[in-house]
Structure formats: structure tokens, C-alpha cells
Amino acid sequence: MISYGRQSISQSDIDAVVEILRGDWLTQGPTVARFEQAVADYCGTSGAVAVSSGTAALHLACRSLGFGSGDVLWTSPNTFVSSANCALFCGGDVDFVDIDPRSYNLCPDALERKLQKAGRLPKIVMPVHFAGQSCDMPRIWDLAGRYGFKVVEDASHALGGRYLNCPVGSCRYSDITVFSFHPLKSITTGEGGMAMTNDLSLRRRMVQLRSHGIDREPRDHQAPALGAWCYEQTALGYNYRMTDIQAALGVSQLGRLDAFVARRHGLAARYDDLLSGLAVGLPWQDERVYSARHLYPIQLHGGGEMRRSVFDRLRANGIGVQVHYIPVHTQPFYRARGFARGDFPVAEAYYERAMSLPLFPDLTHAQQDSVVAELRRALQMAQAPAAGSQS
Ligand SMILES: *Cc1c(COP(=O)(O)O)cnc(C)c1O
């Protein structure tokens, strides 16, 4: 099976992890700090907080901004469930803004219309850089200034990407940007995530919440230290720490990031060529954006049964296609909270025809050719019966 995404692990990645295993520190230690500094340098931010997952980073981002009961976070329905769940972890509410039909990202026009008529304004808006392509961040940041909400970028797909030549993660147009290091993402630490920010007080709060809400810095303590054993818990935090084992892999992978993204671009351009004669919609690229090319999502010309038959045939023939994403508001959990099919029609229409083709740095041209050949065959098979049943 050619999976739709997978990690690329080199001998030097392995050596970096083994070196940690032979050393003194396994849990969060000097290598986590080194990884944070390396990603901050890459993105041009002053602060970074490494944690155990992208989801944990989203949660800490919301907590550090004071998000809680009575507050609402708005995000895209075309995302993984974490982008919405993190609001509920904090006891707040979630709502969605429909997507742009070309970029499949949260639509700034829809956001502005929703803000104009909102009874309750959002405390946080969380754009998601779908498939690695940055949202229209200057527009969203401008609205943030006018309506007074905070911006947390869910950049789980977008490490290594840029907007107007500014790295995603720079937080030029946001308060906090979150990355995931799950094996399918730009680089991996097994599990892992990071929150980027230029606001050192947000960074300090996230550092504290990452480890039980404890302050270890004596100068930050409320009471004078009675001894070197003293620490103070002043908030309810978590154990969201990353390990030095993970961070060593992260530092090593970060050195390969630009090559990974360049390789994804080469493969995506090759898909653009190979698929040009087929009856499928190709992913549009915003010329202001250098995408991290996390996914290659095509649109089939028929939804429902047609997508199902193409998908099943590809899977049966060893092509690990996937669908990104089932609109979050249509999940049973969110329907039970009052959302319904039809609430965000652009995301739903996109989803009905969506299919992601395999795309990852180690995908070979020969594998890519077989993906395209199998897709061509599957489309032909799906067309024949579909033509009869549609009349
Ligand atoms: C992967 C992903 C997450 C969650 O990241 P984890 O590291 O798996 O917790 C959140 N949002 C989006 C859009 C993702 O793709």
C-alpha cells in the first residue's frame, strides 16, 4: 500500500535519537530547549514552547489567552477535530466560519459577514492552513484589530511554508501559531507540537501550563524561597512536556525541512502535469503563498457514490488515498451540540468530492505514476455505471 503520507527517517535522525538514549536526560531537558530555539530561529519568532502534541499546543494557546467559560472560538469546519476540541477543553464554545471554495481555507469574507451580525463576538479566531497553504492572514489580522479578537493559527500542515516570503510561524499576523510533529506532518518527533509567539508573557504562561501550572523560577514566586526545593503552583496545568528523545529527532528533522518541502513541491507539480488530462479538479495555489504542500487534495467531478467507488477501487489496488476532511460540525459529537448538515455548505460541498492523493518526500516517481494510472482506471470504471444511474 502506498500510504497518503509518511515520515522520512534517515540514519542521522536515528543517530541523533540514540545519542540521547546514551545520555543523562530523557524527558524535557537541554535538547527540548535546543529544538525550541532552532524552530524559533527558522520562523523568526522570539518564543517557542515545545509540547507533547499539536493538540496540546492548541489547548495551551487557548488557555494562555485566557479563553474559558462564556467565550467562543471560531475556526474552519475543514480541519481535524482538534482545532475545535481545544475550545471545549477550556470550557468555552466553538463555532465555525465557512471556507473559500478555491483555497479550502477559512474564508475572510465569510468571517467579516459573520462578525458584522454576530451577537457574541469570538475571543479567538483560529484559521487553519489547509494542505499547507497559508490563509489570507493580513485580512484576518486586520479584522482582529477591528473586532478585538485574538488569532491562533493552526499551522499543523504548514511548517516550512511562507506567506509573502514570511515564514508561517513568524506570528506576524497572529498572537500564537501552532505546529504538529505527527509523522504525517512536515517534520516529525513521533508525537509532538509547538506553540510559537512573540509575546513573552504568553510564552511564560504556556511554559507554566505545560508542566502542572508550576513556576520553577524563584524570581517569579509569590513567597520568598525558603530553600532550593521550593516551587509554586499558581494555576491548574498539565503534563504536556516533550521528551529530549523526541526533540533530538525534531532538531535532526528540522535540518531536512526545506528539502522535504522542495521535494513535495516537485511531486505536486508532477501531479499537476500527469493529471491535466483527467476529469478531476486540481488544488489551486495562491501566488502570495509558498505552500508546505502537506496534502494534494483533488476534487472528483461526481460526489457520493462516484467518490466512493473511485476511493474503494484505489484502496483495493494499493493506493492509500484519504479524504480531508469530514466537516467537523457534521461529527456526531458536534451535531449533538446543535450543529447540522447544511450549516457550512461550501465545506460540505468540497468534502463530498474531495480525495487526497499520496504525497510525501520519499514517494518515488514510479509510485506516483502508478497512483495516476490507477486513478485513470478507477475514473473510467466509475464513469460507466454512473452515467446510466444519473439519467
Ligand atoms: C494533525 C493536526 C492537528 C493535531 O495535531 P496532533 O499533533 O496530532 O495533536 C491539529 N490540527 C490539524 C489541522 C492537524 O492536521
Side-chain angles (χ1 to χ4, degrees), residues 4 130-132 157 264 283 293-297 324-325 356-357 359:
Y4 77 90
F130 179 72
H157 296 183
R264 288 173 176 275
R293 286 291 198 177
H294 171 59
L295 299 171
Y296 192 88
H324 301 94
Y325 282 99
S356 301
L357 301 183
L359 181 63

Side-chain angles (χ1 to χ4, degrees), residues 52-56 58 79-83 128 154 156-157 179-182 185 191-193 294 325:
S52 51
S53 70
T55 304
L58 292 171
T79 186
F80 186 56
V81 293
S82 311
S83 319
V128 181
D154 182 345
S156 296
H157 296 183
F179 295 125
S180 164
F181 307 123
H182 182 279
K185 309 297 166 74
E191 296 279 1
H294 171 59
Y325 282 99

Side-chain angles (χ1 to χ4, degrees), residues 26-40:
L26 295 186
T27 185
Q28 180 181 297
T31 311
V32 167
R34 199 150 65 83
F35 184 38
E36 289 173 335
Q37 190 59 53
V39 180

Side-chain angles (χ1 to χ4, degrees), residues 39 87 93 97 129 215 249 256 323 340 343 358 387:
V39 180
D93 291 322
V97 179
H129 304 318
D215 262 328
L249 181 55
R256 306 173 63 206
V323 173
D343 285 350

